[in-house]
Amino acid sequence: MIDFRPFIDTLTRTPLSVWQAPLQAQLDDLFANLNDGNLPRFLKCIDQLPDVTDISFDPHRVELTSTNPLSDTNQTQLEQALRGLIPWRKGPFRLFGTHIDSEWRCDLKWARVAPNLSDLNGRCVLDVGSGNGFYGWHMKAAGARIVAGIDPSWLSVVQHLAINHYVQDSSHTVLPFTLESLTPDLEAFDTVFSMGVLYHRRSPLDHLAELRAALRPGGELILETLVVEGNEREAFVPPGRYARMNNVWFLPSPKALAHWLEKSGFEDVHIADVTPTTTEEQRTTDWKPGQSLTDYLNPENPAQTIEGHPAPLRATLVATKPAGAKRLRRYYLD
């Protein structure tokens, strides 16, 4: 099975040491009761990865290279193993000449988000809804001490394992959890990211309370989500599907979202970026076949989704948990 002990060991003598015992207990319980038919198939892909020596890793490009070129046989073996983990939604990654051209050009989003962050050097970071950990490598490149990604998708967890099979960085992991299942009220992370999660939550204020509870006093939240244009009182609740997704609940305006953050006990809230999603950033590729953004938009009016709703618009907000902040009660909107 997957051994998360190296990551847990890196938490020693950090602010996250309080998390070691409950995290190990949670993982033990998870694996003791695990019944997922896909996971063994995913892990076989890790076993099929070829051995590579003299590896160099550039986290700014998320690129692995070697001074010893792979043989044709090993190059084919590498690509076949990685293709066994399709679809790759987040990326791109480059491994020894193999370019994983993911559905999302996450490097474009990171370029928008990164200039608005406090210095990540030496920080303990939680990446909620991390997917395969692509952003975590950029966080490590920016100097983060620990990056804990959480994502309930075993495919995302194993995709991260495939990259880290060669990087061998025990301080960056993707854990198979949701935020709701995370050890509550840790109040230990210096920085918490939630990118592309809020609109999937039935209770957005609950999500904000859980993010706040993971942060230490004085810590920073980076929140990125779908929004709509409007004033501080406007939020859109899509009837039926939104861009073919049936699990989209609340799309606030950026100003309304800023108000929600303040209501949830954050301060120094600012709207860092508002950008429409384009087909340059999200598209079908050889590594993620099937439908993508083009198929989710109205072919006669790309300013609308296929259902006639406003086309995807994404905002990034940055906020701070006040120093000396007390725990807040959670809001339940279900």
Side-chain angles (χ1 to χ4, degrees):
M1 203 50 70
I2 303 172
D3 185 5
F4 289 102
R5 286 175 299 179
F7 171 75
I8 294 173
D9 289 343
T10 66
L11 307 183
T12 303
R13 293 186 295 278
T14 76
L16 293 171
S17 60
V18 297
W19 191 28
Q20 287 178 296
L23 176 57
Q24 185 63 67
Q26 187 175 8
L27 288 166
D28 290 344
D29 181 67
L30 175 70
F31 287 120
N33 297 283
L34 184 63
N35 183 21
D36 188 295
N38 289 317
L39 183 56
R41 175 172 60 85
F42 296 155
L43 291 176
K44 283 183 179 179
C45 296
I46 304 298
D47 295 336
Q48 293 165 2
L49 292 170
D51 293 332
V52 183
T53 59
D54 296 324
I55 294 172
S56 296
F57 178 57
D58 179 356
H60 297 279
R61 287 172 49 84
V62 199
E63 180 174 18
L64 286 152
T65 56
S66 172
T67 56
N68 293 326
L70 274 66
S71 67
D72 290 345
T73 298
N74 281 351
Q75 195 74 58
T76 299
Q77 184 180 347
L78 173 69
E79 181 161 342
Q80 287 178 343
L82 295 173
R83 285 188 177 278
L85 300 175
I86 283 176
W88 289 78
R89 297 188 178 276
K90 293 188 178 182
F93 299 93
R94 295 171 178 84
L95 283 77
F96 315 114
T98 294
H99 177 207
I100 300 177
D101 188 16
S102 55
E103 177 186 17
W104 283 92
R105 284 283 310 277
C106 297
D107 52 329
L108 300 180
K109 181 185 291 188
W110 184 254
R112 297 193 301 268
V113 170
N116 302 291
L117 308 177
S118 295
D119 187 0
L120 290 181
N121 192 49
R123 289 201 164 202
C124 297
V125 179
L126 177 66
D127 184 10
V128 178
S130 63
N132 56 30
F134 175 86
Y135 295 113
W137 295 119
H138 283 276
M139 296 168 197
K140 291 290 295 181
R145 181 180 183 181
I146 301 286
V147 177
I150 55 172
D151 196 291
S153 163
W154 281 112
L155 179 60
S156 293
V157 171
V158 179
Q159 286 178 351
H160 175 265
L161 285 178
I163 306 302
N164 212 12
H165 176 82
Y166 295 111
V167 180
Q168 292 290 298
D169 184 349
S170 60
S171 67
H172 177 208
T173 196
V174 173
L175 298 162
F177 300 139
T178 62
L179 180 60
E180 302 94 308
S181 65
L182 193 71
T183 305
D185 300 318
L186 278 172
E187 296 191 323
F189 289 97
D190 302 298
T191 305
V192 172
F193 288 81
S194 172
M195 298 196 288
V197 178
L198 185 73
Y199 51 89
H200 291 312
R201 293 295 309 276
R202 287 174 177 262
S203 179
L205 295 185
D206 229 13
H207 183 66
L208 298 183
E210 290 159 356
L211 294 169
R212 186 181 184 276
L215 272 171
R216 64 163 173 82
E220 184 171 76
L221 172 68
I222 296 86
L223 179 66
E224 191 268 355
T225 188
L226 288 172
V227 295
V228 292
E229 295 179 346
N231 62 36
E232 64 276 6
R233 297 182 179 182
E234 292 189 43
F236 176 52
V237 180
R241 293 176 178 264
Y242 175 85
R244 299 194 187 275
M245 295 183 286
N246 62 4
N247 59 343
V248 174
W249 299 95
F250 288 85
L251 277 63
S253 70
K255 290 181 179 179
L257 183 53
H259 176 67
W260 291 2
L261 285 163
E262 291 169 349
K263 183 74 172 179
S264 299
F266 289 93
E267 63 183 14
D268 301 326
V269 178
H270 67 279
I271 301 166
D273 180 76
V274 180
T275 300
T277 303
T278 69
T279 52
E280 177 188 11
E281 188 169 354
Q282 184 189 13
R283 68 276 191 274
T284 296
T285 74
D286 193 34
W287 291 84
K288 195 281 175 183
Q291 295 185 335
S292 193
L293 180 60
T294 299
D295 306 287
Y296 308 153
L297 299 178
N298 184 338
E300 298 180 358
N301 181 5
Q304 296 181 344
T305 69
I306 195 71
E307 301 88 1
H309 307 317
L313 180 69
R314 306 185 80 95
T316 301
L317 282 76
V318 180
T320 303
K321 180 175 179 175
K326 297 180 180 179
R327 294 177 183 174
L328 296 181
R329 71 180 179 88
R330 299 186 181 183
Y331 298 82
Y332 294 91
L333 300 187
D334 288 4

